[in-house]
Amino acid sequence: MTRISARRSSAATRMLLSAVLIVPSATVLAQDAEPPLGIDTLEATFKWRPNYVSDDMLKNADKDANNWLNYGKGYDQKRYSQLTQINRDNIKKLVPLWNLSFGVNDAQDSQVLSVNGTLYVTSSQNKVFAVEGSTGRILWKYEHPLPADIGPFLCCEAINRGVAVYKDKVYMATLDTQVVALNAWSGKEVWKVKLGDYTSGDIYTSAPLVADGKVIVGNSGGDLGGNAGRISALDPETGKKIWEQFTRPTSADHPQAKTWGNNSWENGGASAWLTGSYEPSTKTLFWGGGNPAPDFDRHSRPGDNLYSDSTIAMNVETGEIKYHFQYTPNDAWDYSGNNEAILLDDEQGRKVWLHGDRNGHLYSIDRTNGKCNWVVPIARVNWVKEWQENCRPIADPAKVPVKGKLVTDIAPVLDGGKEWHPATYSPKTKMIYIPFIDSSMNIELKDQKFERGKWFLRSKVLSVNPYTGGLKAFNATTGELVWTKPQSFPATSGLVSTAGGLVFSGDAEGYFSAVADDTGEELWRFNVGTGIHGNPTTFTVNGKQVVAIVYGPGGGSLWPLAYAEFMKTHNRGGGVMLFGLPN
């Protein structure tokens, strides 16, 4: 602490004031001098914290090449880095610098955040690691104790998709419905709050978002227990709830209850399980509502089932819904609409969000009013018969699941299209890059009564046909396909694009790859030893660009059903690997 007491003004006093402010630990008393700046007691407390994260840092994270501070890098979720040290000319020299094992074998869906050389990453089982970026040395580790009986209530293994960082804290949402605040420098628990009840199937799997000074998080649990989608905003210092918004009706007098025939809103799901986007200039959050429940029986819940399978625009200060866009009204295929909304201004000057959906389509939506500009297929799609105004799909009746008959070859499979793994947009190329899946499924319905905490699908048969996938690049203004890079396995990782002309991705077989952003030509790849389901991020450590990838196969949807055969030639494992150029 610095304290100056002065009674009379003099040039010497002013010199002392300057010196003291430079050396915060000093204490100087200037006798018989007037108060400097008119203040009787002038104090300053300063602690050197190189990984402190301010509001300004989060707001401008998209322009910060050295760090990765938000889930999508910037609030706009472009996942684009301005770094050029690793580029097309030297990418073949990229080597692993270190590897950190998480010590667990479940699916790993996380990613690394970087704050001035300190890295934060989660693993399955709700572990958080703070890591020295230059060496991979663990600085601290936090292990959230999970209830022994939680296993049957998990939809997709004990996954976690990452943390949020803000000021001196790190935030994680847990499988047993808690949000935990940790001290960023020690890992000690500062506070935790409980938001739900995991025994209903209500869980939390995704990274929180800090926006407008609030910790904002959405829940999972729409399939298992039909839990209502819930988006909660918490005070970052105390965990006290500021507001809460639901993505479907929770009472019969709700304005959208009429869109859920037969009172089906009561167990309708539509969980909010992926991290949203944020536009600070309009104080608007863009958050996804998931698939309705029961997943495959649209006949039991006539109507559009709002706000399932939608992106919802909300006021960040109050949680009030401004408008929405629904991708799959009255969904019968589990085409959850949670995937990210990438915010950008296109080449026609339109303020849009781009969204690659599990229903197999890429959308451009006007983010000022929720109106559709265009929609194009990502991969093979056959469930849509025609399109109406505002990109409203009309389903082919031959591809709608029914009881007493197996409906075959419904494309895409419920994984997508595009699964939850985030896409990337490059302002350098004006393209959006999509990790895509090309497969189909077969479904037959059955009668099933709702039971709290149980799967609520109403499917007698659910089987999957052969998978492929890969990467595709689309013109972000027109939706025109520019290039495609197919592969033998589905795309199971998020993407990152860079000013170095590269797009990084991982796949189910375990290859971490870099391709040319203009052509899709593969320029480099490395086998990490097990499947990749996490997301890459890139940043600098000690002034040098590095790329991190979280690895470890598993998770939800239908692809893991193929593991019995897949694991005859592959192993499980979980960790994070850091890559860079040799010295």
Side-chain angles (χ1 to χ4, degrees):
M1 177 185 295
T2 301
R3 175 171 294 181
I4 305 170
S5 297
R7 296 197 177 130
R8 288 186 187 153
S9 176
S10 68
T13 301
R14 289 193 293 273
M15 291 177 63
L16 275 174
L17 175 60
S18 299
V20 170
L21 291 178
I22 294 173
V23 186
S25 60
T27 300
V28 177
L29 300 177
Q31 299 294 327
D32 300 324
E34 291 184 2
L37 307 179
I39 301 172
D40 293 329
T41 301
L42 182 63
E43 297 180 351
T45 301
F46 181 71
K47 294 181 180 179
W48 177 244
R49 297 301 194 200
N51 49 347
Y52 184 91
V53 178
S54 67
D55 290 276
D56 184 72
M57 290 169 68
L58 291 180
K59 183 178 179 180
N60 296 291
D62 60 321
K63 302 174 182 67
D64 180 0
N66 296 304
N67 295 308
W68 194 288
L69 301 178
N70 290 308
Y71 181 72
K73 190 175 188 293
Y75 282 140
D76 52 18
Q77 291 232 41
K78 289 175 182 170
R79 301 185 68 84
Y80 172 79
S81 170
Q82 300 88 343
L83 292 173
T84 59
Q85 291 180 22
I86 299 171
N87 53 57
R88 295 184 199 172
D89 294 333
N90 59 23
I91 185 63
K92 293 187 185 299
K93 298 178 181 179
L94 200 67
V95 294
L97 302 178
W98 51 255
N99 176 62
L100 172 64
S101 171
F102 290 150
V104 286
N105 263 346
D106 311 83
Q108 308 302 330
D109 289 355
S110 186
Q111 65 176 37
V112 173
L113 296 191
S114 171
V115 186
N116 297 330
T118 298
L119 314 186
Y120 299 100
V121 63
T122 63
S123 75
S124 60
Q125 303 292 336
N126 286 145
K127 296 184 179 183
V128 185
F129 300 84
V131 181
E132 186 176 67
S134 57
T135 65
R137 179 174 66 92
I138 296 175
L139 301 174
W140 55 256
K141 179 172 61 172
Y142 172 83
E143 300 187 15
H144 180 73
L146 290 170
D149 64 344
I150 199 170
F153 305 105
L154 304 180
C155 106
C156 313
E157 299 189 44
I159 62 168
N160 186 273
R161 293 188 177 91
V163 295
V165 291
Y166 182 52
K167 294 187 177 178
D168 59 352
K169 295 181 183 64
V170 176
Y171 302 92
M172 175 179 62
T174 72
L175 293 166
D176 58 344
T177 76
Q178 300 190 63
V179 176
V180 181
L182 307 174
N183 181 283
W185 307 299
S186 68
K188 291 183 179 179
E189 195 175 280
V190 180
W191 57 256
K192 63 181 176 183
V193 296
K194 189 174 178 62
L195 299 180
D197 181 357
Y198 71 87
T199 63
S200 72
D202 186 20
I203 61 173
Y204 284 80
T205 61
S206 288
L209 177 72
V210 176
D212 193 48
K214 303 172 183 66
V215 180
I216 304 169
V217 63
N219 69 334
S220 301
D223 305 320
L224 204 160
N227 293 278
R230 180 177 60 244
I231 303 165
S232 306
L234 310 176
D235 183 294
E237 292 299 318
T238 65
K240 182 180 179 181
K241 192 179 297 181
I242 299 172
W243 56 254
E244 196 163 70
Q245 182 60 264
F246 291 89
T247 56
R248 68 155 170 81
T250 56
S251 65
D253 58 357
H254 189 283
Q256 302 303 337
K258 62 182 180 296
T259 70
W260 294 78
N262 303 328
N263 290 325
S264 53
W265 57 266
E266 293 178 343
N267 308 116
S271 57
W273 55 270
L274 276 182
T275 308
S277 310
Y278 177 52
E279 186 174 47
S281 62
T282 61
K283 290 190 173 293
T284 304
L285 282 172
F286 299 87
W287 214 281
N291 59 277
D295 293 34
F296 305 111
D297 187 4
R298 72 186 304 188
H299 314 287
S300 67
R301 41 178 172 75
D304 284 355
N305 307 151
L306 293 175
Y307 297 99
S308 69
D309 287 11
S310 301
T311 294
I312 306 163
M314 299 185 296
N315 184 317
V316 74
E317 295 178 326
T318 63
E320 179 185 2
I321 295 177
K322 297 181 176 182
Y323 57 84
H324 75 281
F325 181 85
Q326 188 174 39
Y327 306 101
T328 314
N330 197 211
D331 181 8
W333 308 273
D334 194 5
Y335 291 151
S336 183
N338 297 92
N339 289 353
E340 72 283 355
I342 300 177
L343 314 184
L344 60 104
D345 295 352
D346 69 15
E347 291 297 278
Q348 295 183 15
R350 296 176 297 194
K351 294 183 179 298
V352 306
W353 80 70
L354 299 184
H355 171 92
D357 198 75
R358 277 169 53 165
N359 74 14
H361 297 91
L362 173 65
Y363 294 78
S364 171
I365 309 296
D366 188 320
R367 72 173 185 271
T368 68
N369 57 24
K371 301 299 182 182
C372 182
N373 295 316
W374 49 256
V375 56
V376 297
I378 295 172
R380 187 172 75 98
V381 178
N382 63 20
W383 69 272
V384 179
K385 184 178 181 180
E386 59 180 299
W387 295 95
Q388 293 186 329
E389 185 180 356
N390 201 33
C391 303
R392 181 182 176 90
I394 301 300
D396 183 345
K399 297 301 178 183
V400 176
V402 295
K403 287 183 285 188
K405 177 185 176 182
L406 182 66
V407 179
T408 61
D409 190 38
I410 305 169
V413 68
L414 65 86
D415 308 32
K418 176 191 172 295
E419 244 277 39
W420 67 267
H421 313 287
T424 180
Y425 167 79
S426 170
K428 172 175 168 284
T429 64
K430 314 300 183 184
M431 296 184 206
I432 181 173
Y433 304 91
I434 302 286
F436 77 93
I437 296 171
D438 188 0
S439 183
S440 67
M441 58 186 173
N442 314 309
I443 303 174
E444 181 181 350
L445 297 184
K446 70 176 181 180
D447 289 324
Q448 179 189 6
K449 291 184 178 180
F450 173 80
E451 293 183 72
R452 182 182 183 276
K454 303 289 185 181
W455 285 98
F456 191 40
L457 308 180
R458 284 196 177 149
S459 57
K460 179 180 180 181
V461 177
L462 175 58
S463 60
V464 62
N465 298 311
Y467 273 90
T468 61
L471 304 181
K472 287 188 177 180
F474 295 85
N475 182 299
T477 299
T478 66
E480 177 189 2
L481 178 64
V482 179
W483 57 255
T484 182
K485 178 184 176 293
Q487 61 194 36
S488 299
F489 294 93
T492 56
S493 129
L495 307 181
V496 165
S497 58
T498 76
L502 301 170
V503 178
F504 288 93
S505 69
D507 66 28
E509 196 172 12
Y511 284 106
F512 187 42
S513 305
V515 304
D517 61 3
D518 57 348
T519 65
E521 177 189 0
E522 185 173 272
L523 304 175
W524 171 89
R525 71 174 181 169
F526 183 90
N527 189 345
V528 301
T530 187
I532 299 173
H533 282 227
N535 301 325
T537 56
T538 186
F539 39 87
T540 61
V541 174
N542 295 333
K544 296 183 179 181
Q545 183 182 1
V546 294
V547 187
I549 186 65
V550 171
Y551 60 83
S557 298
L558 296 185
W559 166 242
L561 297 178
Y563 275 11
E565 189 67 26
F566 187 76
M567 284 301 165
K568 291 180 180 178
T569 53
H570 295 78
N571 289 322
R572 300 203 70 163
V576 57
M577 195 172 290
L578 195 77
F579 293 84
L581 298 172
N583 290 328

